[in-house]
Amino acid sequence: MRIPLALLLALAPPVPLAPADLDSAVADHMEVTGVPGLAYAVVGPDRIEHEGYEGVDGEGTPVDADTPFLWGSVAKPVTATAALLLEDQGRLDLDAPVDTYLPEFASFGADPTVRDLLYQTSGITLGIGTEVSDHYGTDAPSLEDRVAQIAASEPGEPGTHEYSSANYLVAGAVMERVTGDFAGFLRDEVLAPAGMDSALTGSEEARRAGLVPGHRLWWGTPVADATGVDDSGAAYGYLGGTLADLAAFARMQLEEDPPLLDAPSLARAREGAVPVPGSAQEYGLGWRETVLSGTEETVFFHGGAVPGYVALLVVLPERERAVVVLQNAYSMLADMHFQALGLNLARLVAGADTRGPVGAAPYGAAVWGATGVVAVVGAVTLWPGRGRRLAALRAVVGAAAVAAAMLLLSAAGPRPALLWLPDVAVAAVAAGALGAVAAVRAAVTLARRP
């Protein structure tokens, strides 16, 4: 008779932690990625079993236990927990249509429930999520204006998972309407009871906590120039805090008697409910469920990033442990480059081998490819001579460069492209500008010569 793997794991003693192996994986990761600073922990149901702080923050100060980070979309399972708590209090019905709480959302071309928002099956698209997220400062559109913009957008495929931060922005607006102050409710009834004592929910708290700029990549070099905090973004990505804060949320997933809800409710929230297209994952209430590669173990996780910061939380229920990693550099095209560390630490916790640091191949190809295009277009544009063949070449190269730049900037949007991919976007703009000059020179030459 075959004994199920889960039963064998439950009967076997937990794999002892090897701090030296964990620290070695971190050192390898920092060498490969060049990330300036990070904090990491392995968490058990009672305490942090191992933690480490490496490198410096955006001002050159050594990272330590008091260093705050932004968590990106790791905010989503926290937001889903808040929704479950409101449901438990009888104040929110997850299966009610969104327009029950936000009548202005009735104009949306689908009829999602609050649960659909949390599962990301509402029909709200990735594209509109890109438009309404990551706005900073006094000129940022209000939460109400963003909800109206989402409601006026074209739905995708309701019932199918499409990851979009706009889902959680609307969920935050629902809870704002229910509580009258979602950020206050989050602080007082979720973060504080969970032991997330120095977690931050907005720009003023970030200032008081001493949050400094995170690093974006400029031609592979981390530059501390990412300063924004979206004051309407706590629900989808702009929560933050220290390693201990996020470790407390991780620990709550492992406790027999958690401070919020109960262990079965938290476990049900983590369970995958809808398939994630194109992957082996399923999405739950703010969590992803999958089998950790290199093992046979089911894990629940969520990663997240905002410009300049990236985070990952992995729960390994069969080991009664979780892994938390916070880093202060990011590029969208190098996402797996940064997230590899958390997955490798999870493999070590599971008693498996690491997969080795991941190179940033998509990022390198994009930024150096775009830079190469700038060089070629520049050479063709500035090359001396006015012959018809050269003019024809300038016309073709110039038109192609302008078209490519317009395609990139229109696909991502100029603001998100410059925010998330600054070097690629600048190279694309430069190539497009040189291409326009080349096209004009070609037109002048061809017009003057019969």
Side-chain angles (χ1 to χ4, degrees):
M1 180 181 70
R2 293 187 63 187
I3 300 176
L5 175 64
L7 179 58
L8 286 173
L9 289 170
L11 295 173
V15 175
L17 285 184
D21 291 341
L22 298 170
D23 296 342
S24 177
V26 170
D28 290 345
H29 173 83
M30 294 192 74
E31 182 177 356
V32 169
T33 62
V35 61
L38 58 81
Y40 59 100
V42 176
V43 181
D46 303 317
R47 61 186 176 86
I48 293 177
E49 298 183 1
H50 180 68
E51 63 189 301
Y53 305 91
E54 301 292 341
V56 297
D57 67 15
E59 293 183 347
T61 303
V63 172
D64 60 22
D66 296 321
T67 302
F69 294 76
L70 291 174
W71 301 342
S73 288
V74 180
K76 291 180 171 68
V78 181
T79 297
T81 302
L84 288 171
L85 183 60
L86 285 169
E87 182 184 48
D88 192 59
Q89 295 172 351
R91 302 168 67 185
L92 178 65
D93 181 358
L94 296 189
D95 295 310
V98 172
D99 58 24
T100 302
Y101 303 99
L102 300 174
E104 61 269 35
F105 208 74
S107 60
F108 187 57
D111 189 24
T113 65
V114 178
R115 192 180 302 274
D116 290 327
L117 296 174
L118 301 179
Y119 283 156
Q120 311 222 43
T121 55
S122 64
I124 294 173
T125 63
L126 172 64
I128 190 62
T130 301
E131 291 180 30
V132 300
S133 57
D134 309 307
H135 290 274
Y136 314 130
T138 56
D139 294 332
S142 68
L143 179 60
E144 293 78 11
D145 287 344
R146 298 191 218 188
V147 169
Q149 186 177 352
I150 297 166
S153 69
E154 188 70 23
E157 297 183 30
T160 299
H161 176 86
E162 182 172 359
Y163 190 86
S164 173
S165 284
N167 280 298
Y168 275 72
L169 188 145
V170 176
V174 167
M175 288 185 275
E176 178 77 19
R177 195 66 56 89
V178 168
T179 64
D181 178 10
F182 173 61
F185 173 82
L186 198 60
R187 286 191 300 270
D188 297 339
E189 301 196 40
V190 179
L191 302 177
M196 304 163 74
D197 299 321
S198 55
L200 57 94
T201 63
S203 59
E204 180 57 29
E205 290 180 3
R207 185 191 64 78
R208 291 198 301 265
L211 181 75
V212 301
H215 300 79
R216 297 186 300 169
L217 297 189
W218 288 87
W219 282 272
T221 300
V223 177
D225 64 352
T227 60
V229 175
D230 188 341
D231 282 319
S232 294
Y236 75 82
Y238 283 86
L239 280 183
T242 65
L243 179 68
D245 292 322
L246 193 53
F249 184 72
R251 187 172 61 252
M252 188 172 73
Q253 310 305 315
L254 306 171
E255 293 178 298
E256 291 185 6
D257 186 20
L260 296 174
L261 303 169
D262 55 43
S265 296
L266 293 174
R268 286 192 297 271
R270 294 192 300 268
E271 290 175 357
V274 296
V276 176
S279 80
Q281 301 172 13
E282 292 187 329
Y283 204 84
L285 295 175
W287 290 92
R288 298 178 184 273
E289 177 181 353
T290 194
V291 174
L292 181 65
S293 60
T295 77
E296 296 182 36
E297 294 191 31
T298 297
V299 295
F300 304 94
F301 74 101
H302 214 293
V306 296
Y309 287 96
V310 60
L312 183 66
L313 167 57
V314 184
V315 177
L316 299 93
E318 295 168 4
R319 304 287 172 178
E320 294 189 313
R321 284 175 175 148
V323 170
V324 178
V325 178
L326 302 171
Q327 302 177 73
N328 62 11
Y330 187 69
S331 171
M332 186 178 292
L333 291 175
D335 181 75
M336 286 305 301
H337 186 56
F338 290 101
Q339 298 287 18
L341 175 60
L343 299 175
N344 273 334
L345 295 183
R347 292 185 188 100
L348 289 172
V349 169
D353 294 330
T354 65
R355 294 299 179 90
V358 174
Y363 169 77
V367 69
W368 294 113
T371 303
V373 169
V374 173
V376 170
V377 177
V380 171
T381 302
L382 301 176
W383 195 268
R386 298 181 179 178
R388 292 183 63 83
R389 290 184 178 178
L390 181 57
L393 177 62
R394 284 178 178 145
V396 171
V397 170
V402 171
M406 292 180 63
L407 180 63
L408 171 67
L409 296 178
S410 63
R415 183 188 61 84
L418 287 167
L419 189 63
W420 289 94
L421 303 168
D423 43 11
V424 175
V426 167
V429 169
L434 286 168
V437 173
V440 169
R441 288 195 69 184
V444 170
T445 298
L446 295 173
R448 288 178 177 175
R449 289 177 173 265

